[in-house]
Amino acid sequence: MPYRLDLSQPLEDETRRIALEQIARARRALMEAPPVEAIHELRKRCKKIRALLRLVRPALGKRYARENRRFRDLARQVSGRRDEQVLLETFDALLAHYRNEIDRRHYTAIRARLKARRERTLASEDESQGESEGRSEGRSEGTMDTAALEAALDEARQAVLGWRLKGPQRDAWQAGLAMTYRRLDDVGETAAEEGSVVALHEWRKRVKYHRYHCELLRSLWKAPLTVRAEEAHRLSDLLGDDHDLAMLAAALDDADMQRISAERRQALGSLVTRRRLSLQRSAMPLGTRLAAESPKALGKRFKRYRRALPG
């Protein structure tokens, strides 16, 4: 089934259905997919469930905070592995983008340090799980406490079965939609004014939630909400690439990078800065269009969409 609410059905049933489907997909990935892909899938499914929770937040009441924390913490269990892998991927993508201007051999030492950093993180996490024997690169990527993650997903599944929404359900999603969009509008303005790494990252998170809300509500009017979700996805990708580059720039100042010549680190840092500025120039007008309506106006528009549906 798609990640979409069937608004002809009780919202409580649909909320549980979608959460259970996301949990099942995460569990299947842990069992069948390569470790790096499984980690990515687990994190993505947790984000989708947290977006779903935000959409029905007012109707969930006190249960919202507990369930949001559950899926946030579940994703964080594998964040170290994913973050170190992303640094390598970001480095490779940056050099590929400027391949006609640079000699990649000048940055071999930096890549080696990033790879070693990833291996240290993997080894440290595996030791904490009681695994301490020598590992090849392929095996270290394959070691993961899958059993503990599966147990956490099983526990989450049991919790979802007990989810209950309070009050009238037909339009219970409207308050959550408006609340999340209002936050998107606020943090977008802050990001445009400050341009800080923290503000841009917070903006990206809110954009992703709005994207998922548009996907969940596509049955209101499929064509325009699909396009809106796609544009929000494009914006979140731009901001995500920007954040990954900011993390790469920060890694260049780590102690283990100091043995590499300052000239090489500065040269890579200049490429990072150029690329980030380009990404932000693309992101800002897209963000302005996405948040062009006031939260009140967007809420009214979606309400009119709902009234136009049969039933």
Side-chain angles (χ1 to χ4, degrees):
M1 295 290 289
Y3 183 72
R4 179 170 64 235
L5 291 167
D6 182 349
L7 296 177
S8 69
Q9 301 299 315
L11 185 61
E12 183 176 276
D13 293 347
E14 283 293 284
T15 299
R16 286 198 298 264
R17 173 186 66 78
I18 290 174
L20 291 172
E21 286 174 357
Q22 296 303 309
I23 291 171
R25 291 187 181 193
R27 204 178 193 286
R28 186 162 58 249
L30 288 176
M31 296 172 63
E32 301 174 2
V36 171
E37 182 181 334
I39 289 170
H40 175 68
E41 278 294 302
L42 175 63
R43 286 163 59 94
K44 181 170 71 172
R45 302 304 166 187
C46 287
K47 288 176 183 177
K48 285 193 167 188
I49 293 172
R50 293 179 69 196
L52 173 67
L53 286 167
R54 275 170 169 74
L55 188 63
V56 297
R57 178 176 183 173
L60 270 176
K62 294 181 179 179
R63 189 186 295 267
Y64 165 80
R66 180 170 65 251
E67 297 304 314
N68 182 59
R69 185 167 55 250
R70 178 196 305 279
F71 291 101
R72 179 202 65 192
D73 292 347
L74 181 56
R76 284 180 177 177
Q77 290 186 42
V78 294
S79 63
R81 293 170 178 267
R82 178 62 184 164
D83 291 346
E84 298 303 334
Q85 180 65 25
V86 166
L87 279 181
L88 270 176
E89 293 172 357
T90 301
F91 173 90
D92 289 340
L94 179 66
L95 265 59
H97 185 79
Y98 291 111
R99 60 184 175 276
N100 295 328
E101 302 179 30
I102 62 172
D103 184 343
R104 294 178 65 99
R105 293 172 296 181
H106 293 169
Y107 304 99
T108 301
I110 294 177
R111 192 183 195 283
R113 294 286 177 178
L114 291 173
K115 184 177 178 181
R117 170 175 166 155
R118 181 190 64 175
E119 293 305 308
R120 286 196 302 272
T121 298
L122 292 169
S124 175
E125 290 182 0
D126 290 338
E127 280 181 15
S128 70
Q129 297 164 10
E131 302 171 14
S132 58
E133 294 302 315
R135 303 165 176 86
S136 67
E137 180 179 348
R139 186 179 172 189
S140 66
E141 287 188 358
T143 52
M144 179 170 58
D145 196 350
T146 304
L149 293 171
E150 289 178 354
L153 286 170
D154 289 343
E155 183 179 325
R157 183 180 186 281
Q158 290 303 311
V160 170
L161 292 172
W163 286 4
R164 298 290 183 271
L165 301 185
K166 301 177 181 179
Q169 292 190 28
R170 185 178 186 273
D171 301 325
W173 52 268
Q174 292 180 3
L177 172 73
M179 185 185 304
T180 303
Y181 180 76
R182 185 175 298 109
R183 185 65 176 148
L184 164 67
D185 191 31
D186 291 342
V187 299
E189 289 184 4
T190 301
E193 292 171 2
E194 296 182 2
S196 67
V197 173
V198 172
L200 288 165
H201 185 52
E202 185 65 21
W203 186 25
R204 185 207 179 200
K205 289 191 292 185
R206 304 302 163 178
V207 170
K208 286 180 76 70
Y209 288 138
H210 184 63
R211 168 207 166 185
Y212 288 139
H213 286 181
C214 291
E215 290 185 359
L216 286 165
L217 295 169
R218 273 178 297 176
S219 60
L220 291 173
W221 195 0
K222 183 178 179 180
L225 289 186
T226 296
V227 171
R228 187 174 181 87
E230 289 172 350
E231 290 299 280
H233 190 183
R234 186 159 69 93
L235 176 57
S236 70
D237 280 351
L238 290 169
L239 295 174
D241 289 347
D242 175 78
H243 181 73
D244 294 341
L245 286 164
M247 295 303 98
L248 177 59
L252 293 176
D253 292 329
D254 287 351
D256 62 346
M257 288 286 184
Q258 299 308 308
R259 295 182 181 179
I260 297 172
S261 73
E263 179 183 2
R264 290 285 183 255
R265 287 185 284 117
Q266 290 170 2
L268 187 67
S270 295
L271 294 179
V272 168
T273 299
R274 283 177 59 191
R275 185 62 181 143
R276 288 193 66 203
L277 288 173
S278 175
L279 291 167
Q280 290 173 28
R281 281 196 295 268
S282 297
M284 290 302 171
L286 182 54
T288 298
R289 290 193 293 270
L290 191 67
E293 289 178 284
S294 69
K296 185 176 181 179
L298 180 128
K300 287 183 176 179
R301 180 161 61 88
F302 275 64
K303 286 180 183 179
R304 288 195 292 271
Y305 291 167
R306 181 66 181 94
R307 287 198 298 268
L309 289 178

